[in-house]
Amino acid sequence: MPPPDIVARRIGREGQPVAIVDGLTEDPHALRDAACAAAFGPAGAHYPGIRADLPPDYLPGIRDVVALVLDRIFGLRRSARVLDASFSMVTCSPDALTVEQRMPHIDATMPGRIAMVHYLSPANPGGTAFYRHCATGLETIGPDQASAYLAIVGREVRSNGPPPARYPGPDDAQFTQIDAVAAQFNRAIFYRSALLHSGAIDDRYPLSVDPATGRLTVTAFFDAD
């Protein structure tokens, strides 16, 4: 197998790094087959979809690439713990989204927390988009900013009403999209969990619960703090 193609770029005013890895795994079709045979269930309160366990050889198979990305792109030279990793599918219809799910979000505030999305749908476009909060100018939300940021966003929602019942797009009133990475089959992206982001959901394609046709990804979170 040829080595993965790793590209890094800095986004927004803050210049935060995003790593794009094409060809992450040797046999992505076998990984999709494993997802089709997996038992998916509700993902919990925050993720608008369903999740399932990964094959046991998935994380060992990408360990060296993850270590290289965390070191070279993010400057995180300590061994990283895997906090969570699973097959994930966005399946929630826009009219069923909570107010929080209609806005860009962060996964954690610590700078050593890194998120990964591995795209596994050959025919389902979209990707991941990144945002700036208009009122504060923030693109990442650190531990010292979280309380004030959440209070401001809450006041905006109470004053202006909740955002429309749809996934975040490039023209949201509270947020400006600063960059986006397009989904490609067997591409993975890595970014700090503190970056404001959202799945770029293309509403022309159904949000199927079938891994063979839906928006299938692997999502993982690493801690190098």
Side-chain angles (χ1 to χ4, degrees), residues 78-125:
R78 294 178 56 187
S79 296
R81 293 185 301 123
V82 179
L83 297 176
D84 184 58
S86 62
F87 287 123
S88 301
M89 296 181 64
V90 172
T91 58
C92 187
S93 63
D95 59 358
L97 294 172
T98 66
V99 171
E100 291 78 11
Q101 290 168 342
R102 303 175 198 176
M103 296 186 287
H105 65 280
I106 64 169
D107 302 310
T109 60
M110 295 73 77
R113 295 284 181 93
I114 304 298
M116 182 197 80
V117 181
H118 183 191
Y119 305 110
L120 292 169
S121 296
N124 200 312

